Amino acid sequence: MVQRVGVIGAGLMGAGIAEVAAKAGSDVLVWEAKQEFADAGKARIEKSLAKAVERGKLSEEDRDAAVQRLTFTTNLEDFADREMVMEAIIENEDVKKDVFAKLDAIVEDKKAPLCSNTSSLPIQTIASATQNPERVMGLHFFNPVPVLPLVEVIPALTTDEEIVERAQNYATEKLGKTAIRAKDRSGFIVNFLLVPYMLSAIRMVEQGVATPEDIDNGMKLGAAHPMGPLTLADMVGLDTCAFIADVMYKEYGDPSYACPPLLRRMVTAGHTGRKSGKGFYDYSK
Ligand code: 3HC
């Protein structure tokens, strides 16, 4: 079983992945582009671990042990001894291709899965940027990673089945996630369904059909969803929602994936949801 894992990026998703891997007992090396981003990622993980302790999900001893298993670096070369890498950086195809090409040259174990947490970009494009596309695949976690039990496993056309199984076994047996497999098509399974749902809710606000509160209450109280689509979009990040919509619309040409003008304007205005303090709701207080 994989023991030494690498996580690329310590933002919302990367920090969550690093946290669950450290809690599961892995030696976790986290890369960030700058020391200040690494420090912010560490603080994010510690805050979430503190919440887990507060909620009685984790003992203080286990929290301290998890923190000990985390190391941060700004040098990708430090990933040479990793047995598996999970990437969760910005959703930019060129940036991801560059990181995977470098990782492929650095990570010595040629059986080490190099996984992307991309929500919508083609895994094949990322794999094809490397010399060893057979070890590149998608491993897509859900926000908040410490709470949601799902992972999507996405082999590219070129991925070696043994590599896929190695990554899937790590995610299920070590991290305790439930895996579902999807083909390398934009949105995989969950976002293929979830994104047009959130976009429909945004169109309803845009057309003045109902208020965000009423739409969210409708789905919470009438369909037993844990949160409504607009609260969810704010949590995912409206810039991320717009980006995924654009990629999916490009892939399928289906209007249900087209980014609503209101969403685009909100992103331009900097109203990107919870992280900016303003989205469909106000988080500034
Ligand atoms: N560590 C461990 N456990 C934690 C935790 C932490 N940091 N924070 C909370 N928890 C646990 C709580 O103890 C609680 O457990 P319990 O049910 O056993 O008591 C549970 O998680 C719920 O926590 P809270 O009570 O604090 O919060 P809520 O009940 O309000 O739930 C939520 C918050 C988990 C975010 C819930 O509203 C939810 O699941 N929402 C939907 C989220 C969703 O759909 N995410 C997918 C987004 S799409 C995506 O990620 C894909 C991307 O590509 C776009």
Side-chain angles (χ1 to χ4, degrees), residues 183-250:
K183 288 207 169 131
D184 178 23
R185 288 173 12 130
S186 191
F188 316 129
I189 296 170
V190 175
N191 281 341
F192 190 80
L193 296 168
L194 192 59
V195 170
Y197 160 65
M198 289 192 290
L199 297 177
S200 295
I202 295 170
R203 280 187 204 104
M204 287 174 76
V205 176
E206 191 169 49
Q207 291 159 9
V209 174
T211 62
E213 289 82 359
D214 281 355
I215 294 168
D216 280 352
N217 273 334
M219 295 313 288
K220 263 169 70 179
L221 307 178
H225 287 202
M227 52 173 51
L230 299 160
T231 307
L232 181 60
D234 274 356
M235 188 180 88
V236 168
L238 299 185
D239 48 346
T240 304
C241 290
F243 179 83
I244 301 175
D246 286 340
V247 174
M248 293 184 77
Y249 184 62
K250 191 172 156 207

Side-chain angles (χ1 to χ4, degrees), residues 48 52 55 57 119 140 142-143 147-148 191 194 227 232 236:
S48 177
R55 299 296 176 96
K57 302 275 172 192
S119 305
H140 185 217
F142 292 83
N143 176 26
V147 180
L148 293 193
N191 281 341
L194 192 59
M227 52 173 51
L232 181 60
V236 168

Side-chain angles (χ1 to χ4, degrees), residues 30-186:
V30 185
W31 176 90
E32 255 301 350
K34 289 184 185 167
Q35 191 55 47
E36 64 198 269
F37 299 156
D39 293 344
K42 188 162 189 274
R44 194 192 284 272
I45 295 171
E46 285 174 355
K47 192 172 165 198
S48 177
L49 288 171
K51 195 169 171 192
V53 171
E54 204 179 287
R55 299 296 176 96
K57 302 275 172 192
L58 190 71
S59 71
E60 291 191 3
E61 264 175 18
D62 289 344
R63 175 204 53 202
D64 295 344
V67 170
Q68 289 296 317
R69 292 186 202 106
L70 286 158
T71 312
F72 292 81
T73 182
T74 53
N75 185 3
L76 219 48
E77 302 285 335
D78 293 342
F79 277 56
D81 70 345
R82 295 296 102 181
E83 295 167 296
M84 175 163 163
V85 180
M86 291 168 279
E87 167 276 320
I89 49 170
I90 184 172
E91 288 284 89
N92 176 303
E93 202 171 281
D94 290 336
V95 175
K96 286 196 197 285
K97 278 159 70 178
D98 181 56
V99 165
F100 274 79
K102 286 184 178 138
L103 272 177
D104 182 40
I106 292 167
V107 178
E108 286 165 3
D109 176 0
K110 295 294 177 225
K111 293 279 177 205
L114 305 182
C115 309
S116 177
N117 182 60
T118 181
S119 305
S120 55
L121 294 172
I123 306 299
Q124 193 60 64
T125 305
I126 301 169
S128 297
T130 70
Q131 296 297 315
N132 298 284
E134 68 281 357
R135 64 172 170 162
V136 178
M137 57 179 283
L139 197 60
H140 185 217
F141 292 85
F142 292 83
N143 176 26
V145 183
V147 180
L148 293 193
L150 187 72
V151 68
E152 286 176 321
V153 174
I154 309 106
L157 290 176
T158 44
T159 319
D160 181 343
E161 178 58 26
E162 205 185 312
I163 302 263
V164 180
E165 275 168 27
R166 196 171 181 191
Q168 182 164 337
N169 286 344
Y170 177 76
T172 55
E173 287 167 30
K174 192 77 175 172
L175 303 185
K177 299 291 183 195
T178 296
I180 56 177
R181 273 216 198 191
K183 288 207 169 131
D184 178 23
R185 288 173 12 130
S186 191

